[in-house]
Amino acid sequence: MINYAQRSFLLIFLLVVSSSLSAESLLEVRVNLAGYPTHSPKKALVLSQEKLKNKILLKRESGEVVVTFKLTELESAWHPFSHAYSIDFSTITEQGKYFFEINDKQIKSEVFSIGVYPDWQEDVVSFIRTQRCGFNPFTGQFCHQQDGLGFFGIKEDSTRIDATGGWHDAGDQLKYLITSSNTAARLLMAYQMNPDAFIDVVNARGLAGGNGIPDVLDEAKWGLEWLLKLHPSPGELYHQVADDRDHRGFKLPHQDNADYGWGPNSFRPVYFADGQPQGLSKYKSEATGIANLAGRSAAALALGYQVFSQFEKYRIFAETCLQAALDLYEMGQKQEGYQQGNSFSAPYRYEENTWADDMEWAAAELFKITKHEDFLDEARNYAEIINTWSWMERDTASHYEMYPFVNMGHYALWQVGTDDDKEKMAGYYEHNLEQIQKRVDRNPYGVGHLFIWCSNNLAAAVATQAMLYEEMTGSQKFRPLMQDHINWLLGLNPWGSSMITGLPEGADFPVDVHMPFWRILNKSVKGSLVDGPLWSTIHDLMLGIELEQKDEYSHLQPTHVKYMDDWMDYSTNEPTLDGSAELLMILTYLNYD
């Protein structure tokens, strides 16, 4: 029989062992799950609840030890870890598969590669294709054939407007010019970056069978055709189809149960861009003009001309894009300011409030085509107006407040400007990136973006801007910053999860996403960037979030930032259209680099 003293000793022993096991169970190694380009900066993190004196081994997949690293402790660590250690293995350039191991702790990292980056561009293009409205090649069904009836426009309310086509914005079935214009432009820019990176295996409808142009251009053309529909005549522009009355649970696009007053799966409102606050209920948008939408759409259509004019069979389409771009640019000049997204029953909307960057972008792209000096002068003027103004200057921002999250106008003006223009545009980018760099020093993961709604889009934007800055200057000053934000999106984060659905295969990635194809058809679509982590102060106040299942990352969640792989969490786990298009540019660059 065990006496009191023995029972006390046993209890203490068990508590010590339990505490030790608990501490060791929260010892994690974080790497970029996709791997690292050969000549890029390479970093891994060790996260621990106790101070470590161990060394860490870098091994080949075969088990052969390559090198032993001493752990370097960082000044800061995020809860639930009290210690974070960085490993810089940038000097390792031999291609192959590797993993890290803390030998006496029996802790290993995931296997990762060094060398040529995965060619995931087509997965991203395929995801965007599943967002098609009108005819959806993923379901094989036609949807939203009665889009829609116009409001706030130059025609009588409820006048029939042909706004069929385009892309659904995310897990819902709204359509926005705000995001679709940027998405179409990024598809075209990715193609321009490396035309040989894309394949032709589907036709214009998105069905199997090539048609002579890469699939990325089929997708861009699908978006441009919708932009043209929203601009049916000079001086006329529509900016949104449907609103948050769409949010009636998950449904397939061709079985839409949303009712806007004409019965379910019937007409939907098409909102005219009038430059005035809009809304049919208590939640009114803000607006001062339409130049953000007109300018960005003009830029996308000008890019469309640049690309499609190279193909003889699309010459007429290209000319149509150019004429529309010229008219939209003029509309933006006449109504400088911004138009926001509309909501009906909730306070959430796209709150874009910048416009000069979009007009700068359009002017620079039109100068490329026409060589008219007026466009170049106007691009410079708009560049001076927007200057360095960006979310990167801020500690927080509203939802899509300074959108797009990279000023592509500065890059476009750099492409066509004088040496003085080039120096000034690169300086604007440099200033923004330096603001991000200042925040990095307080972050063990090396990222400095904001954890507001769609934070992954911001992480991707930092990587894109650093990537373009390197092209503009030849300087690799911000290459570590670029790589750290890519790392964050691909698993070097508190949760050890990629933020891209289905990728890398065999790794931890978003599965239980806020998407009807998953909830109804139990089909996962590869290649989409999900919204991403939120500051807890925002996440805790989001309406209607109640997880269906226990949080699988509960033991890893920081106190101040949250991410959930649960379909109920629309704020962190919903795939986005424009974020995926931003990702496409990064993947194209990495695969080409």
Side-chain angles (χ1 to χ4, degrees):
M1 181 177 292
I2 300 176
N3 61 32
Y4 178 83
Q6 290 172 318
R7 285 200 304 271
S8 298
F9 174 82
L10 181 59
L11 179 59
I12 292 171
F13 174 79
L14 290 173
L15 286 172
V16 169
V17 170
S18 174
S19 175
S20 175
L21 289 173
S22 176
E24 290 194 7
S25 67
L26 276 180
L27 178 61
E28 301 275 339
V29 183
R30 294 284 182 260
V31 296
N32 182 321
L33 298 170
Y36 304 81
T38 304
H39 299 293
S40 73
K42 302 176 186 69
K43 184 175 82 175
L45 287 181
V46 176
L47 309 172
S48 176
Q49 284 188 324
E50 62 181 358
K51 192 170 184 64
L52 298 176
K53 297 180 181 179
N54 311 70
K55 294 182 179 180
I56 191 165
L57 309 178
L58 177 65
K59 293 184 172 184
R60 299 189 192 278
E61 190 176 28
S62 63
E64 174 193 355
V65 176
V66 177
V67 64
T68 300
F69 291 97
K70 182 180 179 181
L71 293 174
T72 302
E73 185 163 10
L74 301 172
E75 292 183 3
S76 60
W78 285 6
H79 175 90
F81 302 99
S82 51
H83 303 273
Y85 301 86
S86 179
I87 306 120
D88 185 338
F89 59 108
S90 302
T91 57
I92 307 301
T93 58
E94 186 173 344
Q95 295 190 11
K97 293 189 175 181
Y98 300 83
F99 66 94
F100 284 102
E101 181 177 85
I102 303 177
N103 203 30
D104 60 342
K105 295 287 187 181
Q106 301 298 307
I107 297 292
K108 297 180 181 180
S109 75
E110 299 293 331
V111 174
F112 59 88
S113 65
I114 293 176
V116 178
Y117 224 68
D119 53 349
W120 291 336
Q121 302 91 278
E122 297 302 331
D123 292 309
V124 179
V125 173
S126 294
F127 163 72
I128 294 174
R129 190 182 306 125
T130 69
Q131 295 300 97
R132 286 192 183 189
C133 184
F135 175 74
N136 186 296
F138 187 77
T139 63
Q141 300 287 334
F142 288 89
C143 68
H144 300 117
Q145 294 299 290
Q146 299 189 70
D147 284 347
L149 302 179
F151 290 89
F152 300 110
I154 56 178
K155 298 173 181 175
E156 184 179 356
D157 279 357
S158 298
T159 297
R160 186 77 165 90
I161 304 296
D162 181 9
T164 56
W167 294 298
H168 301 134
D169 192 57
D172 50 42
Q173 283 143 34
L174 285 72
K175 298 187 290 189
Y176 295 93
L177 184 58
I178 283 178
T179 51
S180 293
S181 54
N182 190 34
T183 299
R186 299 307 180 89
L187 288 164
L188 293 162
M189 291 179 72
Y191 172 79
Q192 288 179 322
M193 183 184 296
N194 184 11
D196 296 332
F198 298 96
I199 60 176
D200 175 23
V201 297
V202 304
N203 60 26
R205 298 183 70 205
L207 301 176
N211 61 340
I213 63 170
D215 299 340
V216 67
L217 295 187
D218 286 317
E219 213 50 44
K221 187 170 183 287
W222 183 269
L224 293 174
E225 287 171 342
W226 190 67
L227 267 60
L228 292 171
K229 284 187 175 182
L230 296 195
H231 176 54
S233 68
E236 189 175 3
L237 180 65
Y238 297 85
H239 71 97
Q240 180 175 324
V241 178
D243 54 44
D244 56 0
R245 283 173 286 183
D246 166 274
H247 299 167
R248 296 170 58 91
F250 288 105
K251 71 270 191 184
L252 295 175
H254 59 283
Q255 298 171 336
D256 193 346
N257 60 1
D259 187 343
Y260 294 86
W262 302 281
N265 206 11
S266 183
F267 295 112
R268 302 197 297 178
V270 183
Y271 293 108
F272 182 81
D274 62 357
Q276 302 296 319
Q278 294 181 355
L280 301 177
S281 187
K282 65 179 180 178
Y283 298 110
K284 304 290 185 183
S285 68
E286 297 177 7
T288 60
I290 66 167
N292 61 327
L293 301 176
R296 189 156 62 249
S297 297
L301 288 160
L303 284 164
Y305 173 84
Q306 294 168 31
V307 169
F308 284 100
S309 61
Q310 302 170 39
F311 299 87
E312 184 59 35
K313 67 177 180 179
Y314 295 116
R315 286 289 306 181
I316 295 176
F317 174 73
E319 293 289 345
T320 302
C321 288
L322 176 57
Q323 186 54 53
L326 291 166
D327 187 65
L328 284 166
Y329 179 74
E330 185 178 341
M331 289 177 66
Q333 288 182 303
K334 291 177 179 177
Q335 289 183 268
E336 291 181 346
Y338 56 85
Q339 184 98 48
Q340 297 184 343
N342 292 352
S343 62
F344 182 85
S345 56
Y348 306 136
R349 67 175 188 276
Y350 289 138
E351 299 180 59
E352 183 179 6
N353 60 9
T354 51
W355 58 271
D357 54 327
D358 301 296
M359 292 297 289
E360 176 193 3
W361 191 4
E365 297 297 349
L366 287 169
F367 175 75
K368 290 180 190 177
I369 300 166
T370 66
K371 305 305 180 187
H372 291 170
E373 289 292 330
D374 285 350
F375 285 125
L376 187 57
D377 290 339
E378 289 160 6
R380 291 176 181 136
N381 178 56
Y382 289 125
E384 289 286 345
I385 294 173
I386 194 67
N387 205 280
T388 59
W389 186 238
S390 164
W391 64 269
M392 298 182 189
E393 302 287 295
R394 303 273 294 274
D395 289 327
T396 190
S398 297
H399 187 47
Y400 276 57
E401 182 181 352
M402 287 162 277
Y403 182 77
F405 304 119
V406 178
N407 184 342
M408 284 299 178
H410 287 343
Y411 176 65
L413 179 51
W414 172 84
Q415 289 178 308
V416 297
T418 63
D419 288 345
D420 287 344
D421 293 325
K422 291 180 186 298
E423 183 178 357
K424 185 175 287 187
M425 296 309 108
Y428 289 153
Y429 268 19
E430 182 175 39
H431 175 84
N432 292 150
L433 293 167
E434 285 174 344
Q435 304 312 302
I436 296 293
Q437 188 67 56
K438 289 177 183 177
R439 291 199 285 268
V440 163
D441 296 336
R442 306 191 297 268
N443 186 312
Y445 296 91
V447 295
H449 63 285
L450 307 179
F451 295 109
I452 56 176
W453 201 351
C454 293
S455 68
N456 281 343
N457 293 21
L458 303 187
V462 174
T464 298
Q465 187 153 318
M467 173 182 83
L468 296 178
Y469 174 84
E470 188 167 316
E471 178 187 341
M472 294 159 80
T473 65
S475 169
Q476 296 186 5
K477 175 180 178 180
F478 295 113
R479 184 170 280 200
L481 189 72
M482 175 183 73
Q483 188 64 49
D484 283 339
H485 286 80
I486 294 169
N487 290 345
W488 174 270
L489 296 176
L490 284 162
L492 214 164
N493 54 51
W495 309 275
S497 175
S498 162
M499 295 290 161
I500 308 170
T501 56
L503 298 171
E505 292 183 2
D508 190 344
F509 50 70
V511 175
D512 194 14
V513 294
H514 191 83
M515 178 66 73
F517 299 145
W518 169 251
R519 291 301 303 159
I520 298 173
L521 301 178
N522 199 33
K523 291 184 178 180
S524 182
V525 181
K526 285 198 294 187
S528 67
L529 186 69
V530 298
D531 282 333
L534 270 176
W535 277 316
S536 300
T537 51
I538 298 176
H539 189 268
D540 293 347
L541 296 177
M542 296 299 292
L543 302 175
I545 294 179
E546 186 175 339
L547 300 188
E548 183 185 52
Q549 298 179 351
K550 184 179 182 298
D551 176 18
E552 64 195 275
Y553 300 120
S554 60
H555 63 297
L556 300 172
Q557 294 285 5
T559 53
H560 68 300
V561 180
K562 294 291 183 289
Y563 166 73
M564 315 285 186
D565 187 13
D566 191 297
W567 68 269
M568 288 287 285
D569 190 352
Y570 60 87
S571 69
T572 70
N573 204 36
E574 184 172 7
T576 62
L577 175 71
D578 58 311
S580 299
E582 181 96 54
L583 175 68
L584 177 66
M585 285 189 66
I586 296 170
L587 294 176
T588 302
Y589 170 83
L590 290 172
N591 189 249
Y592 182 62
D593 189 52

